[in-house]
Amino acid sequence: MDQLHIDIGDLPPECEALRAEVRQFAKEHVAPYSKLERTHNWSGRDVAFTKKMAEKGWLGMTWPKAFGGGGRTMLERYVMLEELLAAGAPMGAHWASDRQMGPSLIRNSPDKLAPKIVPEIIRGEAYICIGMSEPDAGSDLAAIRTKAIKVDGGWKINGRKVWTSGAHLAHYMVALVRTSEKGENRHAGMSQFFIEMDRPGITVTPIVTQLGTHSFNEVTFDDVFVPDDHLVGEEGRGWTQVISELQHERAGAERFLSSTQLLLEMLDVADADQDMQAVAIGKVIARYAALRQMSQGVALMIAKGEDPALGASVVKDQGALLEQSLPEIAYEIFPEKLGDGSDFDQVLTLLTLAAPSFSLRGGTREILRGIIARGLGLR
Amino acid sequence: MSDNMIKETVEKLLSREVDRDTIVAVEGGSFAKPLWNSVVELGLTKILCPEAQGGIGASWAEAFSLFFQVGKSQAPVPLAEAVIGQFFAATEGLDLPAEAVFALVDGAQAASLSVSADSAVPRTVSGTAKSVKWARFAQYFVLETPAGRALVNAQAAGIAITQGKDAAAMPSDTVVFDATPVEAWLQHDFGGLPQALHAIHASVKAAMLTGALEFSLEIAVRYVQDRVQFGKPVGKNQAIQQQLAVLAGEVACSYATAASAMRDLPVVGQTAAPQAWFSAAVAKVTASDAVRTGASIAHQVHGAIGFTYEYPLNFATRRLWAWRAEAGASSEWAGALGRGFIRGGSENFWPNLTARSLDPERSAAHV
């Protein structure tokens, strides 16, 4: 079972130098947010903060200099991100653009779309949403029905996307749609399109979560025209392109560092001399340490050109388990804090309500474990 | 020997020489002399000792695969204990026989051991240590008493052993020391690591647990692929696949934390190991807690066959249940982590986590 063995190693020295710089930045620019704002972490949005990161060169920091990118290593980006995530920085505005849409445009449309859009992302000015799920296509993404039909000079898109994060604030969407009917190979016949959100025929409707917040949307396309050069990559290769994007999603530090605020609250109210509290918190610390070692190990292996796919899936699965355990532990060992209106109480309530989403976003727990089982040779 | 050479050598030896009969014989009370001679001849007991002392001069990280394979193969010999004992001897410049069997007493086991006053010569140790693995076969005891680390020769006066067994039916004895003279003090200062034996023992046990856990996963995966019910291999059911994915997750977490702990342990002569206490705690909590889910899933997917003595799963799972309690149970190490991080306060959580830092002083329970 060597594929479960994640190599452990140290980050190169330039990463540790950057760490100190990011930590200082977080002290100045993240610490002033309220605890509740920091609890939202990377799903929180603040355009002003995104611009500050852009000024530091931390958007598109690994992208080629030819596109205006920073040309720095993936390991440096790993460190920059884990530091900001641990601090609870609101990175939602640029998150999807920086993590996957920029790299996708550079890879799949280097001559047409990337030269215009990538510099906007790097300046912190372009926010891109991702159009994947549909009412009848959740885990079964190949079941999408939104369709693009070839017309003179471009394509005409009709259909509906759901759970689209930030669509109401985004300038652009990259959508996965069908360009030919589903055939024997159900993964064939899909393509990706780049769509300006202000094109005629697009309607964005909020989907309010159980937290009472609006970040998801339903987006309908009613005869939306896009020109030919808005096809991202090759016609019919959309599935392959999307899968390679999703791999970026799996083992990042955001998979276990989005709820740290509750642990911080617990550390400040806990009594070290109470065994029950010390043991419960100690187990959480051990899990954080385990996941950080693994996440960093995966990053190091990828940097060496290896493909620790199974290890990466484990990080996401275990990360969700850890984050979902936090509100339960807090509820169990600090009953006196429940409902007292304190920061602790508010952070706990927010994360209790948010927790179910941790094993849904970016691939459900069951899909993820199916992938792990396939790696074990069971499927 | 490089990392890979150690791995290959150990794998080859153990797969050749560890078999069911050997394990069953040790469960019956004998010592696996031929297997022991083989590991000694390969130099494995002194793998960490400097070459000048007849050792191989490996680091703990290089020796990781040795401990992992001992767990995976269920080798019924006190190899890990000997490697640790020889390491402490070598650290003091003592060259002990390579075939010596060691028994380790640390953590809570050693808490009630007392040492005679400084003025008494020679100083002696007294008290009772329970669940001491391999004690009846030991030539040496390494005791990490509250007053310091001591090497005790098993031939010394004042040692009484009552035999017992652990869940794996391996020797686990009660040892009473009654003014037993100390042969040598193992006082090397590992800077920032007062209970070096406890931390090393816990890290090594985590590596062994990981090996036994991986064996449980592999045998379970093989079984569900072969076993047919309702006209198909049981492993084709999503309910089985999902469970084994969880077990795989536990293996991956244990492996990473045990490997990390090994990297953070001091080699012979090293005078500082600032990350060892933290990493040992993380590894032992992770591996010990993995047993609950891991052993349960491995048995569940096997059905009744896994519950028989005949089928090899139990040799791994009984070791999992025995070893998770050794060198500090999960609750003990989690308590240390929890106290250290609570006393550090929220502002030090992330800096200490990234630095792998746990102050032994701060992590101690106040009486």
Side-chain angles (χ1 to χ4, degrees):
Chain A
M1 293 289 165
D2 284 357
Q3 70 269 44
L4 289 173
H5 300 170
I6 297 172
D7 295 342
I8 301 301
D10 292 318
L11 294 164
E14 68 268 20
C15 287
E16 297 307 327
L18 175 63
R19 184 186 304 287
E21 184 188 347
V22 182
R23 217 168 260 188
Q24 186 54 39
F25 175 85
K27 227 173 243 166
E28 287 167 29
H29 301 293
V30 183
Y33 289 104
S34 74
K35 288 176 170 181
L36 215 51
E37 285 169 323
R38 277 178 272 156
T39 307
H40 284 283
N41 208 291
W42 58 275
S43 55
R45 262 177 182 271
D46 184 347
V47 168
F49 185 79
T50 287
K51 295 263 168 66
K52 282 182 199 158
M53 281 182 67
E55 279 165 30
K56 295 296 285 185
W58 293 341
L59 301 186
M61 73 186 282
T62 64
W63 304 347
K65 294 213 161 136
F67 288 97
R72 301 181 78 165
T73 67
M74 287 304 281
L75 291 174
E76 287 175 290
R77 178 169 185 270
Y78 178 87
V79 167
M80 181 277 292
L81 270 186
E82 76 165 354
E83 286 295 325
L84 291 182
L85 288 163
M91 296 187 276
H94 64 268
W95 189 259
S97 315
D98 180 62
R99 181 168 71 174
Q100 58 211 89
M101 297 317 358
S104 165
L105 292 175
I106 290 171
R107 199 168 42 242
N108 297 313
S109 189
D111 304 324
K112 293 171 184 151
L113 295 167
K116 172 181 182 291
I117 307 303
V118 166
E120 292 179 12
I121 298 176
I122 290 169
R123 290 195 302 269
E125 291 165 2
Y127 311 129
I128 308 180
C129 60
I130 308 174
M132 288 210 201
S133 298
E134 294 184 9
D136 295 319
S139 292
D140 182 11
L141 190 57
I144 57 165
R145 292 200 300 230
T146 298
K147 210 182 290 179
I149 294 169
K150 190 73 191 83
V151 294
D152 198 24
W155 300 79
K156 197 157 267 186
I157 300 173
N158 279 285
R160 198 148 57 116
K161 293 287 175 189
V162 286
W163 318 130
T164 314
S165 295
H168 57 307
L169 302 165
H171 306 103
Y172 313 111
M173 174 190 281
V174 174
L176 181 70
V177 307
R178 287 222 153 267
T179 39
S180 58
E181 287 307 318
K182 198 154 68 175
E184 252 183 39
N185 177 2
R186 56 200 306 270
H187 295 150
M190 286 181 261
S191 306
Q192 283 183 297
F193 284 94
F194 182 84
I195 307 164
E196 289 85 354
M197 290 300 283
D198 56 5
R199 283 192 177 267
I202 295 179
T203 313
V204 178
T205 318
I207 301 175
V208 178
T209 67
Q210 66 175 6
L211 288 85
T213 53
H214 170 207
S215 62
F216 290 143
N217 301 275
E218 180 184 84
V219 183
T220 54
F221 299 89
D222 185 9
D223 279 342
V224 175
F225 174 82
V226 291
D228 278 325
D229 64 4
H230 281 36
L231 174 69
V232 179
E234 273 177 57
E235 182 189 340
R237 286 198 71 243
W239 179 265
T240 318
Q241 290 166 202
V242 161
I243 292 301
S244 82
E245 275 168 35
L246 287 176
Q247 268 156 2
H248 286 276
E249 274 205 40
R250 216 149 271 157
E254 68 270 22
R255 292 307 174 195
F256 62 97
L257 284 179
S258 64
S259 307
T260 42
Q261 192 59 43
L262 183 53
L263 174 62
L264 301 180
E265 295 300 317
M266 286 198 272
L267 286 173
D268 283 340
V269 300
D271 176 354
D273 295 321
Q274 297 235 0
D275 273 353
M276 188 180 71
Q277 295 182 5
V279 170
I281 287 174
K283 289 194 176 199
V284 170
I285 300 285
R287 217 50 170 177
Y288 271 108
L291 282 163
R292 182 180 182 258
Q293 287 298 330
M294 293 165 77
S295 176
Q296 182 180 302
V298 166
L300 284 163
M301 288 174 79
I302 291 173
K304 276 192 289 181
E306 296 169 41
D307 177 24
L310 207 52
S313 299
V314 167
V315 170
K316 182 169 185 300
D317 189 31
Q318 294 288 330
L321 287 173
L322 166 63
E323 297 209 297
Q324 290 173 338
S325 77
L326 287 171
E328 298 305 312
I329 291 166
Y331 162 78
E332 209 157 283
I333 66 177
F334 299 105
E336 73 281 5
K337 304 296 295 176
L338 305 176
D340 70 357
S342 61
D343 284 336
F344 181 107
D345 181 44
Q346 291 184 47
V347 169
L348 172 56
T349 300
L350 179 67
L351 285 175
T352 303
L353 297 178
S357 71
F358 300 157
S359 52
L360 301 172
R361 63 186 181 194
T364 67
R365 169 173 293 151
E366 288 71 23
I367 291 290
L368 202 59
R369 289 183 180 169
I371 291 170
I372 297 170
R374 183 171 291 123
L376 297 175
L378 293 173
R379 304 179 57 155
Chain B
M1 267 203 270
S2 77
D3 218 346
N4 267 336
M5 274 170 66
I6 292 171
K7 182 168 182 274
E8 281 168 27
T9 308
V10 172
E11 264 176 14
K12 212 193 285 175
L13 170 77
L14 296 181
S15 62
R16 192 176 65 228
E17 298 213 19
V18 178
D19 57 20
R20 180 186 181 81
D21 291 346
T22 310
I23 300 177
V24 171
V26 176
E27 291 191 4
S30 65
F31 189 78
K33 196 71 183 149
L35 175 59
W36 188 245
N37 288 343
S38 298
V39 303
V40 170
E41 268 164 35
L42 268 180
L44 297 179
T45 55
K46 289 198 158 199
I47 189 169
L48 298 172
C49 302
E51 292 178 21
Q53 290 178 35
I56 293 174
S59 67
W60 290 100
E62 287 161 342
F64 171 59
S65 60
L66 172 64
F67 307 123
F68 179 80
Q69 288 300 331
V70 166
K72 199 164 175 181
S73 68
Q74 297 110 49
V77 282
L79 180 52
E81 289 78 358
V83 171
I84 296 171
Q86 293 282 6
F87 165 80
F88 280 101
T91 296
E92 304 296 324
L94 298 171
D95 186 1
L96 302 182
E99 69 276 12
V101 171
F102 287 80
L104 311 176
V105 179
D106 56 287
Q109 268 181 318
S112 66
L113 296 182
S114 63
V115 171
S116 59
D118 274 342
S119 51
V121 179
R123 290 170 74 196
T124 63
V125 60
S126 297
T128 300
K130 290 181 186 163
S131 307
V132 183
K133 307 294 153 157
W134 305 97
R136 76 191 71 160
F137 297 117
Q139 273 95 58
Y140 294 100
F141 290 93
V142 180
L143 313 175
E144 194 162 68
T145 77
R149 254 184 321 275
L151 182 73
V152 166
N153 193 313
Q155 300 297 316
I159 299 178
I161 295 177
T162 310
Q163 297 194 355
K165 285 180 179 185
D166 65 18
M170 292 292 109
S172 179
D173 304 334
T174 298
V175 186
V176 178
F177 299 94
D178 182 10
T180 308
V182 170
E183 180 152 317
W185 290 96
L186 309 171
Q187 293 298 43
H188 178 81
D189 182 2
F190 293 96
L193 192 60
Q195 293 189 64
L197 172 60
H198 197 38
I200 289 172
H201 194 189
S203 303
V204 165
K205 211 100 274 175
M208 290 165 68
L209 280 160
T210 306
L213 209 56
E214 185 167 292
F215 175 87
S216 308
L217 172 64
E218 287 184 359
I219 192 175
V221 167
R222 267 202 309 278
Y223 179 78
V224 303
Q225 286 171 327
D226 292 344
R227 171 73 172 166
V228 173
Q229 288 286 277
F230 304 106
K232 62 180 181 187
V234 295
K236 290 288 166 203
N237 295 296
Q238 289 194 1
I240 302 285
Q241 293 173 357
Q242 297 269 311
Q243 289 198 65
L244 288 174
V246 174
L247 172 50
E250 296 293 345
V251 170
C253 290
S254 297
Y255 189 94
T257 51
S260 187
M262 286 293 146
R263 286 168 51 91
D264 288 340
L265 292 179
V267 295
V268 170
Q270 201 169 314
T271 51
Q275 292 153 334
W277 193 243
F278 173 88
S279 293
V282 168
K284 192 58 171 50
V285 169
T286 305
S288 296
D289 281 350
V291 172
R292 177 172 32 203
T293 327
S296 155
I297 291 173
H299 274 285
Q300 189 63 30
V301 303
H302 270 95
I305 192 73
F307 191 60
T308 63
Y309 187 71
E310 180 65 27
Y311 189 84
L313 176 63
N314 77 87
F315 292 100
T317 52
R318 285 187 292 128
R319 276 168 176 71
L320 291 176
W321 291 312
W323 292 345
R324 70 173 170 179
E326 291 179 30
S330 165
S331 56
E332 181 202 309
W333 285 107
L337 276 170
R339 285 186 293 272
F341 274 74
I342 293 167
R343 289 183 184 133
S346 61
E347 67 278 14
N348 287 310
F349 159 68
W350 184 246
N352 283 337
L353 193 83
T354 46
R356 302 199 296 285
S357 170
L358 176 66
D359 180 4
E361 191 87 16
R362 210 181 241 175
S363 72
H366 292 153
V367 183

